[in-house]
Amino acid sequence: MEAVKDWLSVRMVAEMPWLWAGLAAYAMATWTALEGIRLRAAGAMPAVTVREGRVLFWLMLGVGLLTVSLAQRWVRIGHGPFVNLFELLVSQLFSLGLVYAVVYWRFPQVRPTAVVVLPILWILGLWVLMLEPEAVPYPPTYYNDWLWAHVGFGKLFLGFALVGTGLAGLILARAHPRLEPWLRRLPPDEVLDNLAWRFMLLAFVFDSLMLIAGAVWAQDAWGRYWSWDALETSSFLTWLALGGALHARLAYRVPLRLGAAFIVTVFVLAFLTYFGTPFYSEAAHKGII
Amino acid sequence: MSLGRRLASLKLTVVGMLLLAVAVGLRYGDPDRVSVWVLVIPMALLALNLLAAIATNPRIHRRGGLLAFHVSLLVLVILAAIGRLTLYEAHVELLEGQAFSVSQVFDVRAGPLHSGELHRVRFVQGPWTVSYSPGLVRGPTRSTVHVPDGRGGWESRVVGDDTPLVLEGYRFYTTFNKGFAPILTWIPDGGGPAYTGAVHMPSYPLFDFRQVNTWTPPGGPELRLWLHVDAGLKGDEAWVLDGRRATARLAVRTPEGRVELEPGESVRLPGGVLRYERLSTWMGYKIFYDPTLRWLFVTSVLGVLGLAAHYWRRFGAGWMAARDPARSGRDWEAGLGEAAAAVRRRS
């Protein structure tokens, strides 16, 4: 009981109820998406359509609630969600949810990917629940407009890469005999593969823009546009991996499942860049603030 | 197959990218022991591969956006190399009221083709402030500098953090390195000329507890100096470091013991008299010069715009028409030409 009290006492701040509500909405979206896959496997397409509408509803509701959570925190601590791991996670939960919701709405072919994408969001959701919503001072070098461009492009990059990973995840999941019956009625692997790489190429465009905006910000903030710090090295390797995967697909007859594995690898690299680096550098670019 | 076509091979591109990734990993892991050539060689291989592809690959020629992206990558490599050759990096510490001079810079790193125009830079350091959050977390730095206004006068600018002072292409960035400096006058015995100078104490408040330095006046003994600063430092409250509000006593070791001086006071030492005139401050700057910065930005943006244009022309409107196959028969094929054809062939 004392442990629960302690856990709650450090979390009783304005943004937390909205965050919990947002995560609950994402949980409902995940559950409904799983239901949709079950109905699709049974061929009940009208029911699938209804479930897809509900997934979109829960997803948008979650994004809305997380928006309020971010706004509450911004008002409480006086700066945007750019500095510590808690802020980065909530911010990504919001932006990944938003990008995915828009894609989900506009591109019906990707809707089955919700069963892959939403659990990935849940990794972030569970992680953020373990962190305290502590506020840290805003570094002076963050008062720079290029930070917004850098972060914005980065969110679009990761969002589109997440969609590509959702599609690749379906290809890989269908290769498993126990999962195949559930995914049999999805578009053919060739179509999923084609769509996945389109999203990955789109991600590549925004990854490149993110690196450019980050370099301009770094030049203003620290007097050099590139210095191979942990985050820069990791993000360059991600860009290189994605570029390499796109070229490998053109150069070789890459089997669909191997191509899907490439996509998942690129996403894992991007994920580690965003959320792995904070393990040894609590603030992004901490070493040079 | 011609040499050009072999060099333009996509397989070589993939190998080059793999080698570059390995090189980046090695260099990050141990930058002191792994030579920079480990990075340069795969980059040169990729540049050669790219040049050959631009020259010989018709798939790139036919697609303007893709061509623009690949040309921009090649230009970026060339610009980065030019940037390294013409680069200038250094540090300088300027006393309040002091004019910048090339003779003061240190830690200089200049490329072999650097044009050396730093002597044309003119500005005078003014007062500065640094805000701190509770816990002594550094906030914004505001450093006033006076620069020629082009009409024979001076204009004041406030720089700091992400707003550098840019003069003659050289960018001056404030650093965390800044502090106090007692202004001292040495009056030698025997009527020789007096000498006035400043002793830069270690960075403040980082070395608040160790404001110690030595100074050897012309013809005099080496002096060991301590500065006891009262700048209103409060570690657990928000605080602004402002040299104009600070006071400091100067401690000097003499043959008889230790003497503490207030501004305006003197002490007799072997060989002359030392007078503590007043307390001043100094600001440390990082100097950076790279004439390719603007072109790197323009080239990279044009390249990505080219890639975006290629993407839009290739995939833009078509795929939105695609539909879920389970719901609408073969409508999903719309906009998915290659994939749909592959499925048709298979079935």
Side-chain angles (χ1 to χ4, degrees), chain B:
Chain B
M1 191 190 284
S2 70
L3 180 64
R5 289 222 161 198
R6 277 172 199 251
L7 274 175
S9 158
L10 264 176
K11 292 177 181 174
L12 188 61
T13 312
V14 177
V15 171
M17 285 177 153
L18 266 174
L19 287 175
L20 184 57
V22 172
V24 167
L26 286 174
R27 179 104 176 124
Y28 177 75
D30 197 351
D32 296 329
R33 288 176 56 187
V34 178
S35 163
V36 72
W37 288 101
V38 169
L39 273 180
V40 171
I41 289 169
M43 275 197 182
L45 175 71
L46 280 170
L48 203 63
N49 170 249
L50 194 52
L51 185 65
I54 290 167
T56 63
N57 191 336
R59 289 172 73 179
I60 295 180
H61 292 165
R62 281 199 301 269
R63 296 158 175 156
L66 205 57
L67 180 65
F69 178 68
H70 285 92
V71 169
S72 84
L73 285 178
L74 194 59
V75 175
L76 282 177
V77 172
I78 295 165
L79 285 173
I82 293 171
R84 290 293 101 181
L85 293 171
T86 54
L87 178 83
Y88 184 90
E89 283 182 322
H91 287 88
V92 68
E93 293 176 2
L94 288 176
L95 197 67
E96 186 180 336
Q98 186 179 23
F100 169 77
S101 158
V102 181
S103 62
Q104 296 152 336
V105 302
F106 56 96
D107 287 348
V108 176
R109 196 162 73 94
L113 301 182
H114 175 65
S115 59
E117 299 294 308
L118 188 60
H119 65 274
R120 295 175 60 180
V121 171
R122 291 178 69 205
F123 75 95
V124 175
Q125 178 63 47
W128 49 263
T129 62
V130 182
S131 303
Y132 285 85
S133 302
L136 270 187
V137 179
R138 188 162 57 90
T141 299
R142 295 183 184 84
S143 177
T144 304
V145 291
H146 309 290
V147 298
D149 64 2
R151 300 184 299 277
W154 296 83
E155 67 177 34
S156 296
R157 294 186 200 168
V158 177
V159 300
D161 304 314
D162 59 344
T163 309
L165 171 68
V166 184
L167 294 171
E168 306 289 342
Y170 292 88
R171 304 164 77 90
F172 290 75
Y173 296 87
T174 56
T175 66
F176 69 91
N177 206 22
K178 76 283 170 193
F180 292 100
I183 308 291
L184 307 173
T185 297
W186 174 253
I187 306 159
D189 291 339
Y195 184 86
T196 299
V199 179
H200 292 200
M201 289 296 176
S203 184
Y204 191 91
L206 183 63
F207 296 110
D208 171 44
F209 58 94
R210 212 177 66 199
Q211 292 291 297
V212 185
N213 209 341
T214 56
W215 183 46
T216 307
E222 183 184 83
L223 304 175
R224 191 162 172 77
L225 308 166
W226 292 264
L227 199 64
H228 300 292
V229 178
D230 180 5
L233 172 61
K234 298 182 183 83
D236 53 351
E237 290 178 26
W239 168 66
V240 177
L241 172 58
D242 184 346
R244 290 165 296 188
R245 292 190 209 153
T247 58
R249 283 174 292 117
L250 182 72
V252 187
R253 187 180 294 281
T254 68
E256 290 77 33
R258 190 176 141 122
V259 174
E260 290 209 352
L261 303 175
E262 294 286 344
E265 292 182 343
S266 305
V267 61
R268 167 154 290 285
L269 295 165
V273 171
L274 178 74
R275 188 163 69 222
Y276 171 29
E277 302 285 359
R278 61 186 172 84
L279 180 68
S280 187
T281 58
W282 60 270
M283 171 55 73
Y285 289 92
K286 175 187 178 180
I287 308 171
F288 182 89
Y289 173 86
D290 182 342
T292 64
L293 282 184
R294 187 176 305 165
W295 300 109
L296 282 169
F297 177 73
V298 171
T299 305
S300 55
V301 170
L302 286 177
V304 178
L305 286 177
L307 187 63
H310 167 71
Y311 186 88
W312 183 252
R313 285 191 70 176
R314 194 158 157 74
F315 303 123
W319 72 346
M320 288 198 184
R323 291 287 178 268
D324 187 335
R327 199 167 304 142
S328 51
R330 300 191 75 86
D331 283 355
W332 56 271
E333 291 181 8
L336 295 176
E338 293 165 20
V343 176
R344 272 200 298 274
R345 277 198 299 275
R346 194 181 59 180
S347 57

Side-chain angles (χ1 to χ4, degrees), chain A residues 242-261:
Chain A
L242 182 47
L246 287 163
H247 282 86
R249 189 168 178 266
L250 292 172
Y252 302 95
R253 286 181 176 276
V254 177
L256 297 179
R257 288 174 193 170
L258 182 60

Side-chain angles (χ1 to χ4, degrees), chain A residues 70-85:
Chain A
L70 285 168
Q72 288 274 11
R73 181 175 174 83
W74 201 316
V75 169
R76 183 171 74 84
I77 66 174
H79 64 75
F82 303 115
V83 188
N84 65 10
L85 186 56

Side-chain angles (χ1 to χ4, degrees), chain A residues 7 10-27 61-73 76 85-94 121-122 124-134:
Chain A
W7 190 88
V10 292
R11 287 169 176 79
M12 276 298 115
V13 287
E15 66 267 24
M16 291 308 280
W18 299 98
L19 171 63
W20 292 332
L23 292 177
Y26 278 7
L61 183 66
V63 170
L65 291 165
L66 289 172
T67 308
V68 178
S69 174
L70 285 168
Q72 288 274 11
R73 181 175 174 83
R76 183 171 74 84
L85 186 56
F86 177 86
E87 290 167 3
L88 297 183
L89 286 170
V90 180
S91 169
Q92 289 295 353
L93 276 166
F94 156 77
L121 289 188
W122 261 101
L124 305 183
L126 290 172
W127 193 353
V128 82
L129 286 174
M130 290 187 271
L131 299 176
E132 293 179 14
E134 60 179 354

